[in-house]
Amino acid sequence: MGITQPSKLIGSRKIRLDLEATERKLRDKTLELEQAQEELAAQAEDKIRLETRLRLLEKAVDTVNMGVTITDLQGKIIYVNPADARMHGYAVEELIGQEARLYASKAVRTETGGDPAEPWVRRRIDSTKDGQPFPVRLISDRVHNTHLQPMATVTICEDIREQEHIREALVRRDNILKAVGLAAERLLTDASWEESVEEVLERLGRATGVDLIYMSVVKEDSPFTTGSAILSWTTPGGDVEERFRQGLGLPDRIELFACWKDRLVAGQTLQGRVSELPDRERDILDAWGVRSFAVVPIFVESNLRGYLSLEDGDDDREWLSVEIEALKTAARTFGASIMTWQAKLKIALSEEKYRDLLDNATDLIQSVSPDGRFQYVNRAWKETLGYSDQEVQQLKLWDVVRQQPSEEDDVVQSILSVDGQGPIEAIFVTRDGAEIFVEGSINSRFVDGLPVATRGIFRDITDRKLVDRMKQEFISTVSHELRTPLTSIIASLGLLDSGRMSGDPERMQELVAVALRNSNRLLQLINNLLDQQKLEDGKMTFKDEHVEIVPIVRETLDDIRSFAEMLNIELSLDVADENLCARGDHDRISQILSNLLSNAIKFSPPGDAVTISCRGERNRVVISVSDNGPGIPLDFQGRLFEKFTQFDASATRRSGGSGLGLSIARGLAEGMHGRIVLDEEVARGATFHVELPSTLPIAAE
């Protein structure tokens, strides 16, 4: 039966409607695909930019001197920088995939890590590829994802061999000074001079750990070629002791001195490895099994009357300057004792020479009675603390020694103790109230079994304390400033890499923005470190050009305005003269102002304002940055422009900060023949003035 005409029309219309609907769906899907393709292209472009910044960051980490390793949760190395590989004697590619415990020395038991949930600092003995152990200081921290789950461990490794050598040398120095302090009086007054010398040589030998120590002297009227008297001490049971006791090679010793005499007469100290000596000198000492040596001249009234020789069979024995200086003190004491030995009838004069020796010593030397009164202080003590002879007579020990609240032991009582102590640290207070950190050793003098004086030898270690503090602040600051943004970057990339965000483009864009922002933060920290190093090395370049000041100020305000708005801070500009001009570098001036404005914004309370003003004063242009924050205490202003110095760590941590901004700003200003000063008369907040040499406006020129 055939289909009627109306039925055909209805079927044709339905087919046409279906085709139109399908075509609309196809167009919609095509449009959706085009939009998705555009989003993917944008994400790919952002990823390329992020990867470029990460490569720059990795290159920067690759160039630092400290070792950096990143290990996974199984302890396997997934990243190591070249400094760490070099430190351990490996190539970088040899370490990737290896377990981090590969570093640990097999010969020495090492410390384990701390609480994995917190950053931890520790010392450890590592081993090089060829099995040589060496000490390191480690700073480790876990990196977590956004769910606070551990992902990896970042460890900064510092080779502290040189520090350990210095520490060991300081210990030997203190032992030497203690030995000299204990024996000095006996050397100068005891009738049995030779026995006293041998006792002191034994103390010095044990203090320095050498195999052989001897002192060669002659009578005042004898030539220094024959008739030398040699007093010695050797490590019991050693080969050097046996050879020395047999008297082998003494003529060779005289020949050796002939090679050294001119240098010793000139006051030079000789020290080093025997292998580095000329052939004949090396052969003589090789025959004795000596591999390392130190020779200190002994003078009596500016005339060379002997020498103190320390010899060791260890080729790796090093002689640091602090140890040599202590040996020079010992040599000076020996010189005074030789003079006493050669002139027994001049005991009174000898005592004066001893006092002169102490007065001319660079260390702070004092003698204190049991009731705390000063019996004697040397010239260095008086000059360092600023007291006259008359004022010292009125002082007592507790007038110049400051007790710290954190100290459990009474420092004053420790200094007055009849038991020899060393090393001991204390804080001396100068006449004008300044504090000086000192380190030294003490011993007591007895008469009829009762203590009559406590003597101390101290050395000013204030600079060393400052260096230690700055180093700790540097490590703490850099580790924090590296760890915080690096954690955010790794977490953001981890989420992107997992694919879980593929259905949420807005969230993916937020993660990319977080990674980019933290990459910029890391790059800024590295730039600050590089700028500081360039300034210290004198390698920072400056353009000497005619610049208009107000446009630079406006540009800088525009650049930093978003940061101010984020912290709800208003920026205002007060210009007295739109035509202010100066000699300088456009970019460096902008960098100075950015640092000052950034600090002012961070330290201002929300809702407040930061003002920048410009004015001309005679032959200079003054740009002032003012805030209404907490201000800067008087006791901190002296350290304001030092490296890694931060007044309020909590405030700077809020927005990040390395403590380098003001130091760099001052260096840049001085490089353009200007300066930065803090206005000390401001009642509230802080105001910094940038002063630059002015020039006439371009139209006037």
Side-chain angles (χ1 to χ4, degrees), residues 632-633 636-643 645-647 659 661-663 666 677-678 686 688:
I632 301 169
F636 186 78
Q637 291 179 9
R639 298 191 296 116
L640 188 61
F641 291 97
E642 294 178 4
K643 294 185 299 182
T645 299
Q646 296 177 334
F647 157 55
L662 288 178
S663 176
R666 182 181 64 174
V677 294
L678 171 68
F688 288 88

Side-chain angles (χ1 to χ4, degrees), residues 524-542:
Q524 180 62 42
L525 171 63
I526 292 167
N527 286 336
N528 281 344
L529 291 171
L530 293 175
D531 283 347
Q532 182 66 43
Q533 190 63 47
K534 286 181 181 179
L535 287 169
E536 291 179 358
D537 294 343
K539 296 180 179 179
M540 180 68 77
T541 57
F542 295 92

Side-chain angles (χ1 to χ4, degrees), residues 181-206:
L182 291 171
E185 184 175 6
R186 181 174 179 184
L187 280 172
L188 292 173
T189 60
D190 200 319
S192 179
W193 179 83
E194 292 186 1
E195 291 182 4
S196 300
V197 170
E198 290 179 347
E199 178 184 335
V200 177
L201 290 177
E202 178 179 353
R203 290 180 182 274
L204 290 176
R206 295 188 185 280

Side-chain angles (χ1 to χ4, degrees), residues 70 143-145 151-152 154 485-495 515:
I70 302 178
V143 178
H144 300 79
N145 60 20
M151 300 172 57
V154 179
L486 190 60
T487 300
S488 297
I489 293 171
I490 293 175
S492 298
L493 293 179
L495 286 172

Side-chain angles (χ1 to χ4, degrees), residues 217-340:
V217 297
V218 296
K219 295 181 180 179
E220 192 171 3
D221 56 353
S222 301
F224 215 139
T225 55
T226 60
S228 297
I230 293 183
L231 300 170
S232 67
W233 177 86
T234 60
T235 302
D239 291 340
V240 175
E241 178 194 27
E242 180 62 25
R243 295 181 184 182
F244 197 85
R245 295 303 180 195
Q246 292 176 3
L248 297 178
L250 288 182
D252 289 342
R253 291 277 174 170
I254 296 173
E255 179 185 350
L256 187 63
F257 172 77
C259 299
W260 292 343
K261 181 178 178 182
D262 290 342
R263 283 173 282 174
L264 293 176
V265 168
Q268 296 183 22
T269 299
L270 311 177
Q271 76 266 359
R273 293 183 174 88
V274 172
S275 59
E276 298 170 354
L277 291 173
D279 293 344
R280 181 54 184 157
E281 299 173 26
R282 183 178 65 248
D283 292 342
I284 293 173
L285 290 175
D286 270 342
W288 287 68
V290 178
R291 299 291 178 265
S292 179
F293 73 99
V295 179
V296 183
I298 299 174
F299 289 91
V300 175
E301 295 183 332
S302 301
N303 296 314
L304 182 66
R305 301 310 306 165
Y307 60 92
L308 187 64
S309 180
L310 295 87
E311 300 172 2
D312 198 84
D314 184 0
D315 189 56
D316 293 330
R317 175 66 154 84
E318 294 185 7
W319 305 90
L320 297 185
S321 59
V322 291
E323 190 175 7
I324 294 299
E325 287 301 317
L327 289 173
K328 287 181 179 179
T329 300
R332 289 193 290 269
T333 303
F334 278 127
S337 72
I338 292 171
M339 182 174 60
T340 304

Side-chain angles (χ1 to χ4, degrees), residues 360-655:
N360 288 322
T362 56
D363 293 330
L364 280 61
I365 302 175
Q366 65 185 36
S367 178
V368 184
S369 64
D371 65 354
R373 294 189 180 277
F374 289 98
Q375 297 175 337
Y376 168 79
V377 295
N378 70 338
R379 185 181 300 123
W381 192 101
K382 289 180 287 188
E383 291 177 352
T384 302
L385 298 184
Y387 290 102
S388 65
D389 291 331
Q390 292 75 19
E391 290 171 327
V392 171
Q393 294 175 6
Q394 306 302 318
L395 290 174
K396 286 194 174 183
L397 182 62
W398 38 86
D399 294 327
V400 298
V401 176
R402 176 157 296 173
Q403 180 77 24
Q404 294 292 89
S406 60
E407 292 174 338
E408 297 180 0
D409 299 329
D410 191 325
V411 177
V412 173
Q413 290 303 317
S414 297
I415 295 177
L416 289 175
S417 172
V418 297
D419 300 323
Q421 295 190 24
I424 182 174
E425 289 192 8
I427 299 176
F428 284 0
V429 182
T430 66
R431 188 176 184 276
D432 58 6
E435 293 184 348
I436 297 176
F437 291 89
V438 297
E439 179 184 70
S441 58
I442 60 174
N443 62 83
S444 296
R445 178 173 175 260
F446 294 84
V447 174
D448 297 330
L450 297 176
V452 296
T454 301
R455 297 162 297 189
I457 301 177
F458 297 93
R459 178 159 295 181
D460 187 347
I461 59 170
T462 305
D463 290 342
R464 193 181 81 192
K465 288 283 188 181
L466 177 61
V467 170
D468 289 344
R469 178 180 61 78
M470 291 180 65
K471 185 173 183 179
Q472 290 302 321
E473 290 177 357
F474 169 76
I475 292 174
S476 175
T477 300
V478 172
S479 62
H480 179 278
E481 295 299 324
L482 282 173
R483 183 177 67 249
T484 301
L486 190 60
T487 300
S488 297
I489 293 171
I490 293 175
S492 298
L493 293 179
L495 286 172
L496 290 172
D497 187 59
S498 68
R500 287 180 290 173
M501 299 292 106
S502 59
D504 190 350
E506 291 185 1
R507 178 57 177 158
M508 291 176 67
Q509 188 63 37
E510 290 176 3
L511 292 175
V512 171
V514 168
L516 286 172
R517 184 168 61 252
N518 282 279
S519 296
N520 284 325
R521 180 177 171 184
L522 285 175
L523 191 59
Q524 180 62 42
L525 171 63
I526 292 167
N527 286 336
N528 281 344
L529 291 171
L530 293 175
D531 283 347
Q532 182 66 43
Q533 190 63 47
K534 286 181 181 179
L535 287 169
E536 291 179 358
D537 294 343
K539 296 180 179 179
M540 180 68 77
T541 57
F542 295 92
K543 296 178 182 177
D544 184 18
E545 56 189 2
H546 180 101
V547 293
E548 296 180 355
I549 294 299
V550 176
I552 297 177
V553 173
R554 296 188 190 278
E555 291 173 9
T556 307
L557 285 173
D558 290 340
D559 290 341
I560 206 168
R561 195 174 302 280
S562 61
F563 177 57
E565 291 173 352
M566 182 175 64
L567 296 180
N568 192 22
I569 301 297
E570 181 182 348
L571 299 178
S572 64
L573 174 62
D574 180 12
V575 177
D577 183 355
E578 291 282 346
N579 298 316
L580 290 173
C581 296
R583 300 295 305 182
D585 186 317
H586 179 287
D587 293 338
R588 301 304 181 197
I589 295 173
S590 178
Q591 187 175 353
I592 293 172
L593 297 180
S594 293
N595 282 338
L596 295 178
L597 285 169
S598 175
N599 280 344
I601 292 168
K602 286 188 287 188
F603 283 100
S604 294
D608 214 321
V610 171
T611 302
I612 184 167
S613 61
C614 309
R615 68 183 186 278
E617 291 184 359
R618 290 182 292 185
N619 60 346
R620 61 182 179 175
V621 172
V622 180
I623 310 170
S624 303
V625 177
S626 304
D627 64 67
N628 297 312
I632 301 169
L634 287 176
D635 59 354
F636 186 78
Q637 291 179 9
R639 298 191 296 116
L640 188 61
F641 291 97
E642 294 178 4
K643 294 185 299 182
F644 310 114
T645 299
Q646 296 177 334
F647 157 55
D648 183 354
S650 62
T652 53
R653 285 287 180 261
R654 180 185 63 187
S655 301

